[in-house]
Amino acid sequence: MSEFQTLQYEEQDKVGVLTINRPDKLNALDATVLSELKTFLSQAATKKLTGLILTGSGEKAFIAGADILAMTTMDAKAAGEFGRLGQNVSVMFEYLPYPTIAAVHGFALGGGFEMALSCDFIFASEKAVFGLPEVKLGLLPGFGATQRLARRTSPAFAKEMVFAGKNLTAAEALTRGIATQVFADKAALLQGCRDYLAVVAKNSPLAVGIAKRVIDQGAQTTLEQGLALEAIAFSQLFTSQDMKEGTAAFIAKRSAVFKGE
Ligand code: COA
C-alpha cells in the first residue's frame, strides 16, 4: 500500500495494522489523510481479515484532531465537504465486516477521538488522552462525536465533555466505558490488540461479522426490532458451513476449522 503518503499499512496473520503517519503534525487529519483513508477503507472492506487495528505514529499522539491550519482557509461550503468526508470515513470504519480496534496512545482529540469512536472498541495505553476541544476553536465535533459519544456513554456525559472541551485520562475513559482495556505502554497496547484478535481468530469469522452487524444495527432500533434482527441472523447461521463445523467439532471434542462460509 505504498500508494499512500500519510498512511502505513501492515498485515500479518490476517490482522491489519493501519497507522496514521503524520507525526510532525501529531497525525492531524487533513483532506489528504481523509481521502487516503477513504481509498484505503474501500479496499479494506473487501479483505478477509480477522480484524483491523487503527493507531497513530509516534509516541505523542493517536490523532490530535482535524487539521486546524487547513480549516482556517475553509469557507462554509468547503467546511461542509470536509465534515462530510470525515463522517464518510467514520461510517466506512463502522461498516468494515470484521472487528476494528482503535489502539489509542497519546492524544486522541477532536476528529481523532471521533475516528476511535467509529471503531468497534478502544484499547488505550496509560498515556492516552481523550478530548473534544472543538468549542475552544468556536466549532463543534463534526466527525460524529455529538452522536456516537452520546450513544456510547450518555447524552449528559457527551454534553459535559463537549461543553467544557475537557480531556479524559485513560483511567477515566475506562470508568466511562469509552476504553474497554488499558495497557502500560504503546508496545503492550499493540500486543494486547493482537492477543485479543488471536482469540477472535479461533472463532467463526462469519458469526463474528454477523454479530457485529446485528449489535450495530440493533443499537439504532427499538429493543423489539433489535431482537427481530437477532432472530433472523441466528436462524440464518444454521445454513452456514461454519455452524455445522463448530457444532460437529464440539461433539467430536476437537478444534473447529472455520472457513467463514
Ligand atoms: N491540527 C493541525 N496541526 C496540529 C494539530 C491539529 N489538530 N495538533 C497539533 N498540530 C501540530 C502543531 O501545530 C505543531 O506543528 P508545528 O511544529 O509545525 O508548530 C505540531 O503538531 C506539534 O504540536 P504542538 O502543539 O507543538 O505539541 P504540544 O505537545 O505542545 O501540544 C496538543 C499537543 C495536542 C495539546 C496540541 O498540539 C493541541 O492542542 N492540538 C490541537 C488539538 C485540537 O484542538 N484538536 C481538535 C481540532 S478540531
Side-chain angles (χ1 to χ4, degrees), residues 83-121:
R84 274 188 293 278
L85 177 60
Q87 285 190 347
N88 285 345
V89 168
S90 72
V91 170
M92 288 173 89
F93 269 117
E94 233 161 29
Y95 281 14
L96 286 176
Y98 39 75
T100 54
I101 310 177
V104 175
H105 176 74
F107 293 106
L109 300 177
F113 187 15
E114 294 179 291
M115 288 305 151
L117 286 169
S118 307
C119 294
D120 290 320
F121 40 83

Side-chain angles (χ1 to χ4, degrees), residues 152-221:
R152 195 168 288 197
T153 59
S154 67
F157 186 69
K159 288 174 185 169
E160 190 188 334
M161 275 197 82
V162 170
F163 295 172
K166 114 180 165 180
N167 287 346
L168 295 183
T169 63
E172 288 165 334
L174 189 63
T175 307
R176 292 284 172 183
I178 291 169
T180 53
Q181 294 196 37
V182 176
F183 299 85
D185 54 32
K186 190 171 182 183
L189 167 65
L190 292 173
Q191 190 55 48
C193 294
R194 289 186 182 285
D195 290 347
Y196 175 83
L197 291 173
V199 174
V200 175
K202 294 187 182 136
N203 302 330
S204 156
L206 187 69
V208 169
I210 292 178
K212 169 173 171 158
R213 203 187 67 217
V214 169
I215 292 168
D216 282 343
Q217 289 180 347
Q220 300 187 42
T221 62

Side-chain angles (χ1 to χ4, degrees), residues 22-29 60-61 64-71 107 109-111 131-134 136-137 139-140 167:
R22 268 188 100 199
D24 53 325
K25 297 291 174 196
L26 305 189
N27 306 318
L29 303 172
K60 217 164 158 184
D67 192 304
I68 299 170
L69 183 64
M71 288 194 290
F107 293 106
L109 300 177
L132 294 166
E134 284 87 347
K136 296 181 183 177
L137 303 167
L139 290 170
L140 85 168
N167 287 346

Side-chain angles (χ1 to χ4, degrees), residues 2-156:
S2 54
E3 69 199 90
F4 301 119
Q5 293 168 42
T6 64
L7 306 179
Q8 278 176 356
Y9 181 70
E10 286 165 29
E11 207 176 288
Q12 202 186 343
D13 301 332
K14 292 175 121 187
V15 170
V17 180
L18 174 64
T19 306
I20 311 295
N21 188 31
R22 268 188 100 199
D24 53 325
K25 297 291 174 196
L26 305 189
N27 306 318
L29 303 172
D30 63 4
T32 304
V33 183
L34 291 175
S35 301
E36 291 192 348
L37 278 171
K38 205 171 159 182
T39 305
F40 171 82
L41 288 165
S42 62
Q43 295 166 1
T46 64
K47 284 178 181 283
K48 294 209 167 191
L49 295 180
T50 301
L52 179 75
I53 300 165
L54 171 65
T55 194
S57 74
E59 277 297 312
K60 217 164 158 184
F62 171 72
I63 301 169
D67 192 304
I68 299 170
L69 183 64
M71 288 194 290
T72 58
T73 54
M74 289 178 194
D75 59 14
K77 183 167 176 287
E81 283 163 15
F82 185 63
R84 274 188 293 278
L85 177 60
Q87 285 190 347
N88 285 345
V89 168
S90 72
V91 170
M92 288 173 89
F93 269 117
E94 233 161 29
Y95 281 14
L96 286 176
Y98 39 75
T100 54
I101 310 177
V104 175
H105 176 74
F107 293 106
L109 300 177
F113 187 15
E114 294 179 291
M115 288 305 151
L117 286 169
S118 307
C119 294
D120 290 320
F121 40 83
I122 297 171
F123 286 180
S125 78
E126 283 174 9
K127 284 213 179 123
V129 176
F130 298 89
L132 294 166
E134 284 87 347
V135 292
K136 296 181 183 177
L137 303 167
L139 290 170
L140 85 168
F143 297 169
T146 62
Q147 306 307 306
R148 291 194 182 95
L149 184 63
R151 285 166 167 78
R152 195 168 288 197
T153 59
S154 67

